[in-house]
Amino acid sequence: MLLSTFMAFVFNQQNIILGYRATMPYLALIYFFILKQAKVSYSFIEKVIWLYCIFYIFIWLYALSQAPDVLFQLDMSKDIRDNRGFFRLFIPGKEFIYGGLFLALNYYFVSRKFKWIIISSAIFLVIIMHVTRQTIFFAFIVSLFFFF
C-alpha cells in the first residue's frame, strides 16, 4: 500500500494524503498483523481493539452531533444525508466496532456476566445507527451464531 501510494505520487502526481486516505480502511487489518508479527500478547491486542472501538464511537458521536457538516470522512466533498432516517457517516476505522462487538459477546459466554450483554447491545446499536444494511445483517447473523 505504501508502494502504491508512492507510485501514484511519482507517476500521476497524486497527493500523498489522498493515497493515505484511500488506504485508511485497511489499516486496522494491517495493525492486527503487525501486532501479531511482533508476538504481542492477546490481552494487549484486546486492549487495542477496545481502545480503538471506544475512540471510534466517541469520534462518530461527535461527528454525528455536528451533522450535516462533514468532519471525518474519506471524501470530504461528499455530503452526508439522512435519507435513511439517520445521518450516514463514512468515517474510516469502523472495523474495530465489529471487533468490540465480538469480543463483548465472547466475554459474555466466557464469564456469563450481564454487563457484556449490555455492552454488546450498545455496540450493536451503534452498528445499526450506521444504517449499512449488509453490515447490520452480517453482524446480526454472527452474533446469533454466538448464541447458538
Side-chain angles (χ1 to χ4, degrees):
M1 288 179 358
L2 293 175
L3 183 62
S4 66
T5 301
F6 178 72
M7 297 306 270
F9 172 72
V10 170
F11 292 109
N12 297 332
Q13 289 74 39
Q14 179 179 334
N15 190 348
I16 290 179
I17 300 298
L18 180 63
Y20 173 73
R21 283 190 350 211
T23 61
M24 285 179 76
Y26 308 104
L27 290 179
L29 189 61
I30 292 171
Y31 291 150
F32 173 76
F33 286 115
I34 288 172
L35 292 173
K36 187 76 175 142
Q37 184 67 27
K39 304 217 184 310
V40 178
S41 68
Y42 284 111
S43 63
F44 181 76
I45 293 174
E46 289 174 358
K47 289 176 186 175
V48 168
I49 290 172
W50 282 121
L51 179 72
Y52 275 107
C53 180
I54 292 168
F55 186 66
Y56 178 84
I57 290 173
F58 280 125
I59 286 177
W60 179 77
L61 287 172
Y62 178 70
L64 194 62
S65 72
Q66 302 299 315
D69 294 332
V70 178
L71 295 179
F72 303 112
Q73 292 194 159
L74 286 175
D75 187 4
M76 296 299 281
S77 64
K78 192 175 187 182
D79 290 336
I80 57 174
R81 298 196 176 125
D82 60 348
N83 56 353
R84 291 189 180 181
F86 206 75
F87 283 108
R88 189 172 184 191
L89 305 175
F90 298 98
I91 302 172
K94 69 180 174 182
E95 295 82 13
F96 286 102
I97 292 178
Y98 308 112
L101 172 67
F102 300 138
L103 277 177
L105 287 172
N106 189 39
Y107 287 163
Y108 170 72
F109 288 110
V110 169
S111 68
R112 294 293 182 191
K113 291 184 179 177
F114 188 69
K115 73 175 184 177
W116 293 112
I117 288 292
I118 300 295
I119 292 170
S120 62
S121 299
I123 293 173
F124 190 71
L125 181 64
V126 171
I127 291 171
I128 290 173
M129 290 168 57
H130 274 82
V131 295
T132 306
R133 292 179 290 237
Q134 292 86 359
T135 57
I136 294 169
F137 176 73
F138 287 117
F140 177 74
I141 293 298
V142 172
S143 299
L144 196 62
F145 180 74
F146 263 98
F147 282 102
F148 291 121

